[in-house]
Amino acid sequence: MTKQDIAPTIVADSDLPPEPRRGRAGRILGRTLFAAVAGVLVIAVIAASFVVWTIQRSFPALSGSITISAVESPVAVQRDALGIPTISADSTHDLFAAQGYVHAQDRFWEMDFRRHVTSGRVSELFGESQLGTDSFLRTLGWRVTAEQEVAAMDPTVLGYYEAYADGVNAYLEEHEGAELSLEYAVLGLQNADYEPEPWEPADSVAWLKAMAWDLRTNVEDETTRAMLAQSFTPSQLTELYPGYPFDRNPVIVPAVVAVEPVSVEAGAEGEAEVVPAGIEWREVSDVVSAASVLLGGAGEGIGSNSWVVSGELTETGMPLLANDPHLGASLPSVWHQIQLRCAVRTPKCPFDVAGFGFSGVPGVVIGHNDRIAWGFTNLTTDVTDLYIEKLEGDSYWRDGALVPLETRTETIEVAGGEDVQLEIRSTVHGPIVSGLTEGFTAIAGNPYLSGDGGTVAAAEDPLEGEYALSLRWTALEPGTTAQAIFALNVAQDFEQFRAAAQRFDVPAQNLIYADVDGNIGYQAPGKLPVRGAGDGWMPQPGWDSAYDWKGYIPFDELPTSYNPDSGYIVTANNAIVDERYPYFLSRDWDYGYRAARIVDLLERKIAAAPLTAEDMRAIQADNEFWIGKRLATALMDVDIRGAGPKAAVELLRSWDAQNQADSPAAAYANVYWDTLLDTLFAEREAPAPVSGQGRLFTVVDTMLENPDSGWWTNEELGVDGRDDMLAYVAGEAYDRLVELQGEDPDRWEWGSLHTLTLASETFGTSGVPAIEALFNRGPFPVGGGSSVVNATGWNIGEGYEVVTVPSMRMVVDLSDFDASTWNHLTGASGHAFHPNYADQTEDWQHFRQAAWAYTADAVDSSAANTLTLTPAG
């Protein structure tokens, strides 16, 4: 994009239409007005030129040669038309230094903001409004844990992180303020003294903790159930949180098979060697919500799809692998596409890997090398537990004895304000989190215990004394994921892949695999706790060590699969194994509707013809709304009242259950579903939660088989029984949709309700429209929905706007890597108005994936720009 692309069009005097005939007074007034308007135009042009100049100052150099201190030999950075870089270097040091430099070119504001979030230092940027969030994140202590992980790294991996930091800092040496990003110019209006500090390896590692937060599992559900237990009976809680429907939906590994134990060295070290004044920041209900705004929350639709198919079932005779992780919508996208190539591959420089990574983190997280491909989905195992701690002064009770609380004090610096001292208290389980959120504090302030295994539940008498709530979470312990990334990048076979997976402990992920020899596989990695007396479904008594974790499931006993008889492996956050597995993993799986649909589509396509890569992409685009189809069937025998509601329900009779963006039936079906849940659960004296649509699919499906369920009756609304409720909701949903889109069903569209607005995670939510307009894009009408394969999640009762998305989509073709395709939500660049800022969004919206050049010839052919980084001196 050139300056002319952004600047306003200026009309010359000679191009103006002739002045109409008028009197002298009119001419004088006209000249006066013209002079005034001309003056405004001059000011506007000057202002526009200043904005254009400010915006373009941060656009990175994409071609030519730049001398930097971070590399020892020349490094080539080729970019295609989408701005996706391929970096070729002679050494691993230069490779990762160049990656750091390129990430800083494209996304430094994002990187800088993220490291402030993960360190609990957002107040340094935006002032005292962020103190609550900083206190929460400091209490979790991600930065402390990241520093411990860096200290424990082997020299080779530490060298990668240090080289990456060298590259970032080389960019910072040459750029400052608005030269780094437009956001710094805006920030300077409020916080003029801020200057970014040098990048450190711990800045990179801490972001992996933030991704663990985004992919955490059931801590919110655990908190909600603890609160509900004071108003609902245990049987009602079981109805609201049913078990996984093993009879209907698939598990990932139907039978756990014995495999050879993995040696870590096989794929670890061994392979490693081969805001301005006046901005009103968005208010949220509590600091967990605040952290979710900053980091991405474990909200509706967080999860992922991935599947891999054996060559025995494909047209090419080689495996195909598909992946689309579902994360919070963000601008820029959380992903950065890249290829990292050693110019000559040797044991000391073994990398030739391409895929998706995170700005701020070296290496490739999801993708392929020359031998293998891999994808991730969230494991959804329960790796967080809340403990009720009984306090006495500065101590807490453990097995009948008082134990001193561990404490540390941290200082939070506040832009434009005084420093704040924060005391953080911890028990053997982890940091005390009560006092930080309304829910955590309420549980600690009025805990009830039953005798059924120590879970929080309603009881006759509350516990007496002083209590607190602590959090145990695998992400708060030092781990090795930061090292696992590089082992994955260079793995050459399934054994080395599993060795890398053994190090991938947080966040726990389903890992699927394919290789050029035709093999496919699956591995569940991660630190998965072995629990004591409790199962973590609700908070447990911290004063009794019987409820402590007893360790972690041995890696060689975690579920794995290699070349299964079915010829395919599907993971979509569904249950990994059935109830015969000897270890407890979770009671809070995704309920498997996406997984079931993917399996169904695969088997139909396999029965018809060998699978192609286009078939894989078509499955990623599937919009079938399972519960919509179920409700349409249930409504067939219900007496609907009113011509409008009858016509709306009639739409569902011929509907294919696809949530297409232009579908009137999909619009009504989703509004009906939203209204039904609101009426069944939210509009009550004691409301029940309406989060987790997959869970609610199962709840409502079971209720449809039980017309006498008490949930069908709502005395306040005068509704009694299933059919009465279904008929009542038909009318209410019709009225809602008419209010939103008018009375003509032909003009109803799901996509017009279900829109995606891409908002910057900082200034895009500032409350100042002019500033938000600089950074935000959209809205975009989209199809899909929650617990749909095209998982565009939305929140019941909060409108139909998209909150979570398939953040990227890829299909890897093991027969020809250059025939693979990829796409992600926004674009490679984090610079507002850069051509690559949101240039992939329209293709993402319409399921168009770009060719993924991998081989040297393909990369050369697709290169639009080449930048050479040359060593100083």
Side-chain angles (χ1 to χ4, degrees), residues 301 304-305 307 324-326 593-594 597-598 601 617-625 658-661 750 754 756 781-794 802 804-809 825 844-847:
S304 301
N305 302 322
W307 63 96
D324 54 286
H326 310 152
Y593 295 93
R594 284 180 289 112
R597 177 62 174 168
I598 294 167
L601 289 172
R617 289 187 284 271
I619 293 174
Q620 289 178 331
D622 182 70
N623 283 321
E624 186 183 82
F625 185 38
Q658 289 284 320
N659 272 348
Q660 304 289 39
W750 172 228
H754 190 54
L756 168 66
V782 298
S786 296
S787 286
V788 172
V789 176
N790 179 27
T792 51
W794 55 281
V802 176
T804 55
V805 292
S807 55
M808 67 81 161
R809 300 183 183 103
L825 180 65
W844 175 92
Q845 182 186 14
H846 297 289
F847 307 102

Side-chain angles (χ1 to χ4, degrees), residues 94-404:
D94 287 357
L95 188 66
F96 293 115
Q99 186 182 18
Y101 190 89
V102 166
H103 277 173
Q105 278 189 309
D106 288 347
R107 304 276 192 95
F108 184 73
W109 167 258
E110 180 185 39
M111 295 163 58
D112 196 18
F113 173 67
R114 283 175 174 175
R115 66 170 164 178
H116 279 81
V117 172
T118 56
S119 299
R121 296 171 51 202
V122 186
S123 299
E124 292 181 19
L125 294 173
F126 302 125
E128 63 182 1
S129 66
Q130 302 301 310
L131 272 173
T133 308
D134 280 349
S135 296
F136 179 69
L137 296 171
R138 290 284 184 102
T139 298
L140 295 184
W142 290 340
R143 175 70 186 203
V144 174
T145 305
E147 290 172 349
Q148 292 171 343
E149 291 186 8
V150 170
M153 283 181 180
D154 69 79
T156 298
V157 172
L158 178 60
Y160 298 159
Y161 280 94
E162 290 176 336
Y164 180 89
D166 289 344
V168 175
N169 292 329
Y171 193 75
L172 295 182
E173 290 173 4
E174 305 164 350
H175 302 81
E176 62 181 5
E179 294 174 343
L180 284 168
S181 188
L182 174 61
E183 285 87 345
Y184 289 102
V186 180
L187 180 67
L189 300 177
Q190 174 181 321
N191 188 355
D193 295 331
Y194 176 74
E195 293 183 6
E197 61 200 31
W199 193 264
E200 298 177 355
D203 295 328
S204 297
V205 176
W207 183 242
L208 298 173
K209 302 299 180 184
M211 291 309 300
W213 170 265
D214 206 359
L215 299 170
R216 66 198 183 278
T217 50
N218 74 335
V219 68
E220 283 91 349
D221 285 339
E222 191 175 335
T223 303
T224 299
R225 286 190 291 260
M227 300 297 292
L228 291 174
Q230 300 179 15
S231 304
F232 291 87
T233 66
S235 62
Q236 287 176 314
L237 281 178
T238 300
E239 286 182 287
L240 291 171
Y241 290 89
Y244 185 83
F246 289 105
D247 58 336
R248 175 191 298 122
N249 293 340
V251 297
I252 297 170
V253 182
V256 179
V257 298
V259 293
E260 292 296 322
V262 165
S263 166
V264 174
E265 286 72 20
E269 292 91 350
E271 282 304 318
E273 293 184 357
V274 273
V275 191
I279 288 179
E280 298 177 359
W281 295 99
R282 177 165 50 174
E283 294 290 333
V284 292
S285 58
D286 57 53
V287 293
V288 173
S289 299
S292 297
V293 168
L294 298 175
L295 295 161
E300 183 63 59
I302 290 291
S304 301
N305 302 322
S306 71
W307 63 96
V308 61
V309 181
S310 165
E312 296 177 358
L313 304 176
T314 69
E315 187 176 75
T316 66
M318 291 295 287
L320 293 167
L321 184 149
N323 194 189
D324 54 286
H326 310 152
L327 299 169
S330 63
L331 179 63
S333 162
V334 69
W335 299 107
H336 186 272
Q337 295 160 280
I338 201 164
Q339 180 169 351
L340 303 172
R341 170 183 292 156
C342 292
V344 178
R345 292 182 62 199
T346 66
K348 289 188 176 181
C349 194
F351 293 93
D352 190 0
V353 60
F356 296 86
F358 305 132
S359 61
V361 181
V364 170
V365 176
I366 295 175
H368 71 83
N369 59 31
D370 65 319
R371 293 280 307 169
I372 76 166
W374 67 93
F376 287 178
T377 65
N378 201 20
L379 206 63
T380 61
T381 45
D382 186 355
V383 294
T384 58
D385 278 348
L386 295 169
Y387 286 89
I388 298 173
E389 308 286 4
K390 187 172 184 178
L391 305 184
E392 190 165 320
D394 294 329
S395 300
Y396 65 103
W397 286 97
R398 274 291 276 175
D399 294 331
L402 281 171
V403 178

Side-chain angles (χ1 to χ4, degrees), residues 434-481:
S434 46
L436 296 174
T437 80
E438 182 179 346
F440 292 165
T441 304
I443 295 170
N446 194 23
Y448 288 75
L449 289 179
S450 70
D452 61 354
T455 57
V456 175
E460 293 183 3
D461 298 313
L463 297 172
E464 296 181 356
E466 182 185 0
Y467 291 88
L469 200 67
S470 65
L471 172 66
R472 177 133 200 214
W473 180 23
T474 54
L476 305 186
E477 304 169 13
T480 53
T481 298

Side-chain angles (χ1 to χ4, degrees), residues 467-526:
Y467 291 88
L469 200 67
S470 65
L471 172 66
R472 177 133 200 214
W473 180 23
T474 54
L476 305 186
E477 304 169 13
T480 53
T481 298
Q483 302 179 55
I485 293 171
F486 305 104
L488 272 176
N489 288 182
V490 299
Q492 299 289 289
D493 55 32
F494 192 59
E495 181 183 1
Q496 293 178 9
F497 169 78
R498 292 187 67 233
Q502 186 169 5
R503 288 175 168 260
F504 205 102
D505 47 21
V506 175
Q509 300 286 288
N510 296 297
L511 270 63
I512 59 168
Y513 166 94
D515 65 34
V516 294
D517 294 325
N519 301 301
I520 65 173
Y522 164 86
Q523 179 64 54

